[in-house]
Amino acid sequence: NLKNILEEVGAKFDDVIEFTTYIVGKDNIQPYIQARGYIYPDMFPNGDFPANTLLVVNALVKEEYLLEIKAVAVLP
């Protein structure tokens, strides 16, 4: 979803300067970090990953949601 949103405004992952990640429960931290380690190299092939603040929360807007990611991108 994030890739589609970035493309709609003429941006790409290289334009992202910051992520804020909300994750439900501390038990989901390691699976998230493992998934991020797998996905980030494809998103940022130059290895220059943006800052990522990880916040552990009790719940998100719907019970089935376990992860929410906010991205800040800067366009020229």
Side-chain angles (χ1 to χ4, degrees):
N1 290 342
L2 185 54
K3 181 182 177 191
N4 292 338
I5 292 168
L6 288 169
E7 288 175 351
E8 282 183 29
V9 297
K12 53 189 180 292
F13 282 113
D14 287 342
D15 298 313
V16 175
I17 61 165
E18 176 186 9
F19 287 116
T20 302
T21 304
Y22 302 88
I23 192 165
V24 176
K26 65 181 181 178
D27 293 340
N28 290 316
I29 295 172
Q30 280 305 318
Y32 166 73
I33 291 172
Q34 288 175 331
R36 186 178 73 177
Y38 177 75
I39 294 169
Y40 266 35
D42 289 333
M43 293 167 50
F44 305 98
N46 65 0
D48 190 17
F49 305 151
N52 187 345
T53 301
L54 177 62
L55 301 169
V56 179
V57 297
N58 289 326
L60 293 170
V61 69
K62 290 189 177 182
E63 186 175 332
E64 63 267 23
Y65 293 174
L66 299 177
L67 175 75
E68 181 175 321
I69 299 174
K70 177 181 94 172
V72 176
V74 175
L75 297 175

